[in-house]
Amino acid sequence: MINKKSRVLFYTFLLLVGAVIAEITYLGSKSGSERINSKVAFVKMVGLPDLAISTEASYVRHRSMSDMFSIFKDDGSLREYFVSTFTYSHSRIINKKSLNEK
Amino acid sequence: MRNKINIYLIEYAINSLLRQKYKSFFITTVLTLIIFILTSVFFITNSIKYELQSTVDTLPEIVVQKIKAGRHSDIDVSVADDILEIAGVNSTVSRVWGYYYFENLGVNFSIVGIEKYEEQYKNSFENVAKTLDFSTNSMIVGEGVKKSMKKIYYNEYFNFIKPDGKLKKIMISGVFKGDTELESNDMIVMSKENVREIFDIEDSKATDIVVKVSNIDEIQTVASKIKLMFPDSRVITKDDLKISYQNIFDYKSGVFLALFIITLFTFFIIIYDKVSGLSSEEKKEIGILKAIGWRVNDILKEKFYEGFIISIFSYLFGVLLSLAFVYIFKAPLLQNIFTGYSELKTSFELPFVFDIQTLSIVFFLSVPIYIAATIIPSWKSATLEADEVIR
């Protein structure tokens, strides 16, 4: 004799387990091998490593192909990155002066 | 002994939980939240690892770059022929690629040059690009690049500014499929001649040289031979890339590690709180149960059911939520840690990996610990005499 509350609890757990399994099957069916194949084909063609998860600058994008701090050699117009440059900002007056002199 | 699971004890446990509605609800919510965060973090990191590992093997075995005054510099194309003479080297390709900084939007495009009309490229293009028209002045772009160009009304072509200030008009002939977005978002592929023109690289120079070695065991030897032949070169092997991948991963997951530690810490505070003692009401309850004839065994069983119900419910619900959060809703807040502040954000669709290890780690970090935290203090009270507990 299973009492009512235990039964409700049992069904709740059953429902949760069912939902988790259904979700996993759904997600599993969505990611096919075709996706991986096209990724592999793409990486093979381009030959560049790293994911484009951070694409803000090249040294992050293809980090493994460059030095840790190669931001300075890549492009002069890249924005400042290091935390210290935000904390200790250079004097803008000095910069202006040097521009005027030019 | 016939019926090991005592239904009446389970019902008593449910009633006991319902009696302390708010407390049970609060604990379940917190536990669910912690499990949710933990599993989400593990799911994201696992998927990214999987993504990296599934593509790493297709990368070239060795990449040779020239270092001049401590900086990367263009390498002579003729070096490729010299390397080809080393025993064990299968083929060499001099590559031309670079980053084009587009000031208007503040984005970096990765431009890669490939040989025109090569059969191998045509085949792979069919797999990765939606449309294909590989004429002289055309390029295939990633979805992110396409979107950014569209923002400034470049729908069919794009004007690259060459180092001498002149414009180079290149037609957009195709877009990479969404499947590869995590890799191709900032990528532009066009013919080598065009890349040379845009970056002003002479015909005799290349960005780097890719070396293919057929025998994996020979990679290190070939690499050291190249290093001996060209002392000014930087030789990057596939293993170096793998290590570097790990570094990127560690770098990015540093934030996650902090999150993980905070979550664990919170969890252990809750458990400590539970272990450090029962409330006087709970003690009284145990005393009364003992007084009316319950054995220590029964009390512990009942407490086990209580802990089990709460922790299993939280675990299942937490896992359910995090699966939906990461793979269906694409991790709304957590993904910002990965995508950064870039204009060229990927849509962050991670491949689904069913990892039993992750699920069991989270399970063993939550369920048994919580059950223990419920049983141990009850056991302390239950072993005392009934009148002593009630008082």
Side-chain angles (χ1 to χ4, degrees), chain B residues 161-181:
Chain B
I161 304 166
K162 291 194 279 186
D164 60 4
K166 285 179 189 158
L167 295 180
K168 173 85 183 163
K169 182 178 170 182
I170 300 210
M171 305 298 291
I172 300 171
S173 72
V175 181
F176 288 118
K177 278 181 193 163
D179 292 354
T180 61
E181 197 181 343

Side-chain angles (χ1 to χ4, degrees), chain A residues 3 5 23-24 35 38-40 42 47 50 52-56 58 61-62 64 67 75 77-78 81, chain B residues 11 15 51 58 95 99 101 108 128 179 182-183 186-187 234 244-245 251-252 320 324 338 342 344:
Chain A
N3 52 54
K5 276 175 187 164
E23 207 171 10
I24 288 172
R35 254 175 78 113
S38 58
K39 275 173 198 280
V40 168
F42 176 80
D50 304 2
I53 286 175
S54 295
T55 44
E56 48 261 39
S58 53
R61 171 67 171 90
H62 301 300
S64 41
D67 298 313
D75 197 320
S77 47
L78 281 176
Y81 170 75
Chain B
E11 198 195 4
N15 281 332
E51 181 98 20
T58 50
R95 292 194 306 187
Y99 310 106
Y101 181 66
N108 274 293
V128 294
D179 292 354
L182 221 50
E183 287 86 5
D186 66 335
M187 199 68 81
R234 177 165 62 186
S244 170
Y245 270 173
Y251 172 78
K252 277 285 173 190
L320 188 77
F338 282 100
S342 171
L344 280 173

Side-chain angles (χ1 to χ4, degrees), chain B residues 151-303:
Chain B
K151 254 189 222 166
I152 41 164
Y153 308 106
Y154 278 117
N155 283 327
E156 283 157 13
Y157 64 92
F158 185 77
N159 283 328
F160 289 95
I161 304 166
K162 291 194 279 186
D164 60 4
K166 285 179 189 158
L167 295 180
K168 173 85 183 163
K169 182 178 170 182
I170 300 210
M171 305 298 291
I172 300 171
S173 72
V175 181
F176 288 118
K177 278 181 193 163
D179 292 354
T180 61
E181 197 181 343
L182 221 50
E183 287 86 5
S184 69
N185 203 44
D186 66 335
M187 199 68 81
I188 297 174
V189 176
M190 59 173 85
S191 71
K192 268 187 184 173
E193 294 96 89
N194 285 338
V195 179
R196 283 184 193 282
E197 217 180 320
I198 290 167
F199 291 137
D200 192 21
I201 301 173
E202 294 163 34
D203 284 348
S204 61
K205 298 277 183 186
T207 314
D208 52 27
I209 287 165
V210 164
V211 181
K212 280 187 182 155
V213 182
S214 35
N215 186 354
I216 312 163
D217 299 329
E218 285 177 357
I219 293 176
Q220 277 309 325
T221 324
V222 173
S224 54
K225 277 184 184 171
I226 296 170
K227 185 77 193 161
L228 276 175
M229 276 169 77
F230 305 100
D232 65 339
S233 64
R234 177 165 62 186
V235 184
I236 304 165
T237 61
K238 206 192 270 183
D239 279 342
D240 294 337
L241 290 180
K242 280 181 186 167
I243 293 165
S244 170
Y245 270 173
Q246 195 58 47
N247 286 341
I248 306 165
F249 188 74
D250 291 345
Y251 172 78
K252 277 285 173 190
S253 63
V255 187
F256 273 158
L257 192 70
L259 231 160
F260 177 69
I261 290 167
I262 292 167
T263 335
L264 267 188
F265 196 67
T266 322
F267 185 60
F268 285 119
I269 285 177
I270 295 172
I271 285 168
Y272 176 76
D273 191 48
K274 284 219 83 178
V275 173
S276 60
L278 298 171
S279 65
S280 57
E281 255 178 60
E282 277 173 301
K283 274 186 187 164
K284 210 183 234 172
E285 190 186 321
I286 289 174
I288 292 169
L289 288 177
K290 281 205 79 176
I292 58 169
W294 281 43
R295 284 170 301 167
V296 179
N297 191 6
D298 297 327
I299 294 170
L300 292 186
K301 257 190 193 168
E302 190 268 322
K303 285 288 165 192

